[in-house]
């Protein structure tokens, strides 16, 4: 019997998975934002000493499952591995469609390279909003069409379920783009679209219903109410702009609130609701319309990789073989939707990328033009060159983090015994260590975890109940020229502190504070 060699397509798919998993095990990748870090600390027990079954942003059934795994095997990064597996399966599913469905070898090479590069970036800087969106897109894209590949459809449904459980809002945005793309370009006939949409909506309603039921039965309702009110203010575009432009006095509670320092401040739910009403009124001004447009430019100039990917997606829609009037209608309406959404919400680079990731629905259905451009192959080479530059820049950033971590642990030894440690300017994603309940996080954090049952557990684990009763504390901060904010925030809670000792290094410094009697 002759042994059949795997096809070229299968080799590409296998190599993709191997590369992504090698990134997980062999390089010092980091989460893009603090949110993932704190969620991971909660489900692993690294922050509170107990594997938390509820972690706010992700579905409680997912956080419960991760908590059980961490209880059994606490010293492995299961949270990160889960995201890498999701990214790998999502990319492989889309790649398989590209390699088998696109006829033009040039366009096949281009869009396969694009998807690989996108997944590669997500592996360097995983972020749950983007991971959920990618899973949702991959699932819906491969659910479409009349192919009778039941394994592919089964994996597609699993990816949609996974995406909704990671972050349902991301998948909802992708679903809107999917429906809009199908409506304008007739990607599927109406019957197939309706059946698939009905399935996705059923998944949404089921999982959201289970989430609400869990929260009603097992989560403190006061915390849920505060967390919702908190997000309505601290993520409000008007409030963020006022903090950025230093329009709020240092004497105001909102000055500290805007820097995520609000544990024990006299800001309750009613005050937050009143503040949101005040902020909403300011949205209907020319100033905020201008701020919204400037924010888009500022964000995209800050996150150039995502900006490049978005430009490629625009290029893909324009170069696709759909009718010109259909393409113009599609782009104009979606851009209007994006601008309106941006005006009322604080959109960062990751959400902007997700907004335009949906362009892949029409692009990958009809990428060919009658005369394939002679610039496609050079463009593929540019993509791979950009991948090399991106990897090099990542490595430089990782070396910088390594240096910062060495300074951090040197200064940690200078901390006063029994004094809790806080951070200012040192983001949680800078840690290169993997913590768990056997090796807890060395410092306390603040932000959305403040005023929560998790924060109370973390305080108790470290021997105190509230910030105002601290006899001493330590603070590690970056060497910024601006005055520190955290010491003023702590004193605002009622007690006075003075610096007992201070040590400085090139990038970081530690200050040990003692309560004044």
């Amino acid at each position: 019997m002759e042994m059949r060699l795997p096809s070229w397509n299968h080799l590409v798919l296998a190599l993709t998975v191997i590369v992504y998993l090698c990134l997980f095990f062999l390089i010092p990748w980091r989460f893009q934002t603090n949110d993932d870090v704190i969620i991971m600390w909660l489900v692993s027990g690294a922050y509170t000493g107990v594997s938390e079954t509820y972690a706010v942003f992700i579905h409680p059934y997912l956080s419960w499952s991760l908590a059980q795994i961490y209880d059994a095997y606490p010293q492995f990064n299961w949270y990160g591995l889960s995201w890498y597996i999701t990214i790998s399966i999502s990319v492989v599913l889309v790649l398989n469609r590209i390699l088998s469905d696109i006829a033009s070898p040039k366009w096949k090479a281009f869009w396969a390279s694009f998807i690989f590069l996108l997944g590669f970036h997500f592996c360097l800087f995983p972020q749950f909003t983007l991971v959920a969106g990618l899973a949702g897109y991959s699932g819906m894209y491969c659910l479409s069409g009349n192919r009778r590949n039941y394994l592919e459809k089964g994996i597609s449904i699993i990816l949609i379920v996974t995406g909704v459980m990671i972050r349902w809002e991301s998948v909802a945005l992708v679903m809107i783009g999917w429906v809009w793309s199908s409506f304008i370009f007739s990607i599927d006939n109406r019957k197939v679209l309706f059946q698939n949409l009905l399935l996705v909506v059923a998944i949404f309603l089921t999982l959201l219903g289970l989430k609400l039921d869990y929260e009603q039965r097992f989560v403190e309702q006061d915390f849920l109410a505060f967390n919702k009110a908190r997000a309505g203010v601290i993520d409000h575009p008007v409030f963020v702009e006022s903090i950025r432009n230093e329009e709020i006095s240092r004497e105001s509670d909102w000055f500290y609130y805007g820097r995520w320092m609000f544990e024990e401040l006299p800001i309750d739910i009613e005050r937050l609701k009143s503040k949101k009403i005040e902020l909403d009124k300011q949205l209907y001004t020319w100033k905020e319309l201008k701020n919204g447009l400037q924010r888009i430019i500022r964000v995209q100039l800050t996150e150039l990789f995502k900006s490049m990917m978005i430009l490629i997606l625009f290029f893909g829609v324009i170069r696709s073989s759909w009718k010109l009037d259909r393409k113009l209608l599609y782009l104009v309406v979606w851009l209007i939707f994006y601008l309106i959404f941006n005006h009322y919400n604080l959109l960062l680079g990751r959400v902007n990328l997700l907004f335009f990731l949906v362009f892949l629905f029409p692009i990958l259905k009809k990428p060919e033009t009658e005369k394939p451009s002679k610039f496609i192959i050079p463009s593929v080479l540019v993509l791979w060159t950009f991948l090399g530059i991106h990897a090099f820049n990542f490595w430089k950033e990782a070396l910088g983090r390594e240096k910062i971590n060495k300074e951090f642990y040197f200064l940690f030894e200078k901390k006063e015994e029994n004094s809790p440690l806080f951070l200012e300017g040192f983001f949680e994603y800078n840690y290169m260590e993997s913590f768990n309940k056997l090796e807890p996080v060395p410092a306390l954090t603040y932000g959305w975890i403040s005023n929560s049952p998790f924060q109370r557990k973390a305080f108790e684990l470290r021997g105190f109940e509230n910030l105002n009763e601290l006899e001493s504390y330590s603070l590690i901060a970056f060497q910024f020229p601006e005055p520190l904010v955290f010491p003023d925030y702590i004193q605002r809670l009622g007690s006075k502190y003075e610096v007992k000792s201070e040590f400085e290094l090139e990038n970081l410094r530690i200050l040990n504070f003692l309560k004044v009697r």
Side-chain angles (χ1 to χ4, degrees):
M1 180 183 292
E2 292 186 9
M3 183 175 66
R4 291 185 62 188
L5 295 175
S7 69
W8 168 251
N9 289 2
H10 291 154
L11 288 174
V12 170
L13 300 180
L15 185 61
T16 298
V17 174
I18 291 170
V19 170
Y20 287 177
L21 292 182
C22 283
L23 293 178
F24 175 77
F25 286 104
L26 300 179
I27 71 164
W29 59 272
R30 71 162 174 85
F31 290 109
Q32 186 183 6
T33 66
N34 294 333
D35 294 338
D36 277 287
V37 181
I38 296 173
I39 294 170
M40 179 177 65
W41 287 350
L42 290 178
V43 296
S44 68
Y47 193 68
T48 64
V50 178
S51 298
E52 301 291 344
T53 56
Y54 180 75
V56 184
F57 293 110
I58 63 177
H59 197 283
Y61 284 18
L62 177 57
S63 54
W64 181 89
S65 301
L66 287 168
Q68 307 313 306
I69 297 172
Y70 271 110
D71 272 340
Y73 307 99
Q75 293 181 296
F76 185 78
N77 189 353
W78 297 106
Y79 182 90
L81 181 63
S82 300
W83 277 202
Y84 267 75
I85 290 173
T86 303
I87 293 168
S88 300
I89 295 174
S90 300
V91 170
V92 162
L93 206 62
V94 177
L95 274 179
N96 184 54
R97 272 288 187 98
I98 291 172
L99 296 174
S100 59
D101 288 3
I102 296 179
S104 166
K106 292 181 179 180
W107 283 115
K108 183 181 296 188
F110 182 84
W111 290 113
S113 298
F114 177 86
I115 293 296
F116 178 85
L117 177 57
L118 191 71
F120 190 91
H121 172 73
F122 287 4
C123 286
L124 295 183
F125 303 102
Q127 203 279 331
F128 72 114
T129 299
L130 286 174
V131 173
L134 179 63
Y137 164 74
S138 178
M140 291 177 209
Y141 171 62
C142 294
L143 199 61
S144 304
N146 296 315
R147 290 166 56 127
R148 295 182 177 275
N149 187 330
Y150 296 110
L151 175 62
E152 182 186 68
K153 289 188 180 296
I155 297 173
S156 298
I157 293 170
I158 291 172
L159 282 176
I160 293 170
V161 170
T162 302
V164 174
M165 294 183 79
I166 294 173
R167 182 132 205 192
W168 70 265
E169 297 94 335
S170 296
V171 185
L173 177 59
V174 171
M175 182 174 68
I176 294 171
W178 176 44
V179 173
W180 175 240
S181 301
S182 299
F183 177 76
I184 292 296
F185 297 112
S186 300
I187 292 174
D188 285 321
N189 65 56
R190 295 289 185 264
K191 181 179 179 181
V192 172
L193 174 62
F194 178 76
Q195 290 173 343
N196 289 334
L197 183 59
L198 197 64
L199 174 62
V200 175
V201 170
I203 291 171
F204 261 94
L205 294 178
T206 301
L207 290 175
L208 290 180
L210 292 171
K211 178 179 185 290
L212 292 173
D213 175 68
Y214 186 97
E215 289 176 341
Q216 286 291 323
R217 290 192 294 146
F218 300 113
V219 183
E220 287 185 15
Q221 297 305 299
D222 288 345
F223 167 65
L224 291 176
F226 179 85
N227 195 52
K228 181 179 179 181
R230 182 269 309 163
V233 172
I234 207 162
D235 293 329
H236 199 290
V238 176
F239 184 74
V240 171
E241 287 293 331
S242 65
I243 291 293
R244 179 179 175 274
N245 297 326
E246 300 182 353
E247 297 172 359
I248 299 178
S249 168
R250 202 178 182 99
E251 300 304 313
S252 169
D253 288 335
W254 297 113
F255 175 88
Y256 302 95
Y257 183 88
R259 288 157 178 79
W260 296 87
M261 302 174 189
F262 50 83
E263 182 81 37
E264 300 176 30
L265 280 181
I267 297 179
D268 57 14
I269 295 175
E270 292 306 314
R271 195 173 172 190
L272 287 169
K273 288 180 179 178
S274 298
K275 185 67 173 178
K276 187 177 187 305
I277 293 172
E278 173 192 326
L279 294 169
D280 285 344
K281 291 178 181 178
Q282 297 179 53
L283 282 170
Y284 304 99
T285 62
W286 287 110
K287 175 186 175 184
E288 291 309 319
L289 182 63
K290 177 184 174 183
N291 284 341
L293 296 174
Q294 289 178 335
R295 187 166 58 249
I296 294 173
I297 297 171
R298 186 171 63 247
V299 167
Q300 294 313 128
L301 288 176
T302 301
E303 302 199 45
L304 291 176
F305 173 85
K306 294 182 177 68
S307 299
M308 189 203 76
M309 303 304 273
I310 290 170
L311 286 175
I312 292 173
L313 290 167
F314 270 97
F315 158 82
V317 174
I318 293 168
R319 290 289 297 171
S320 67
S321 55
W322 298 101
K323 290 182 178 180
L324 180 60
D325 60 339
R326 297 279 92 189
K327 292 189 288 190
L328 290 177
L329 177 63
Y330 177 75
L331 290 173
V332 169
V333 173
W334 192 254
L335 278 173
I336 291 172
F337 172 50
Y338 166 73
L339 291 172
I340 293 172
F341 200 84
N342 174 76
H343 182 71
Y344 288 96
N345 298 274
L346 181 67
L347 302 188
L348 300 178
R350 53 188 176 272
V351 181
N352 287 340
L353 178 58
L354 205 56
F355 239 99
F356 298 104
L357 186 68
V358 301
F359 284 3
L360 285 171
F361 285 116
I363 289 171
L364 297 184
K365 186 69 175 179
K366 283 189 178 182
E368 300 95 338
T369 56
E370 293 182 2
K371 295 181 180 179
S373 171
K374 61 183 178 180
F375 296 109
I376 296 177
I377 294 303
S379 297
V380 173
L381 297 177
V382 169
L383 276 178
W384 285 94
T385 301
F386 189 78
L387 173 63
I389 295 171
H390 193 49
F392 176 73
N393 289 335
F394 164 80
W395 196 256
K396 284 172 57 181
E397 188 266 354
L399 292 175
R401 272 188 288 130
E402 184 179 15
K403 183 177 181 180
I404 294 297
N405 271 255
K406 287 179 180 178
E407 290 192 13
F408 175 86
Y409 285 105
F410 178 85
L411 291 176
F412 183 74
E413 297 300 321
K414 304 294 183 182
K415 182 181 78 72
E416 291 292 321
E417 190 176 358
N418 299 323
S419 289
L421 176 65
F422 296 91
L423 307 172
E424 183 169 341
F426 184 99
F427 294 115
E428 285 79 1
Y429 58 67
N430 280 314
Y431 283 117
M432 300 185 82
E433 299 288 331
S434 182
F435 303 110
N436 53 69
K437 61 185 177 183
L438 303 179
E439 301 174 29
V441 180
L444 285 160
T445 188
Y446 41 91
W448 57 262
I449 202 170
S450 299
N451 289 347
S452 71
F454 316 118
Q455 193 74 309
R456 291 197 298 271
K457 289 181 184 178
F459 286 177
E460 291 171 6
L461 184 66
R462 291 156 180 83
F464 65 97
E465 292 185 2
N466 57 68
L467 297 176
N468 194 38
E469 74 176 32
L470 292 176
E471 294 296 322
S472 63
Y473 72 91
S474 298
L475 178 69
I476 290 181
F478 269 93
Q479 297 275 24
F480 291 137
E482 297 83 5
L484 293 171
V485 175
F486 191 82
D488 290 347
Y489 157 68
I490 288 290
Q491 297 208 133
R492 193 174 186 82
L493 301 180
S495 300
K496 301 295 181 182
Y497 296 86
E498 63 181 7
V499 178
K500 180 182 178 183
S501 60
E502 181 176 358
F503 300 92
E504 295 186 358
L505 296 175
E506 181 182 352
N507 298 289
L508 300 177
R509 57 174 166 160
I510 185 169
L511 297 93
N512 294 309
F513 289 88
L514 187 65
K515 181 179 284 188
V516 177
R517 295 296 180 184

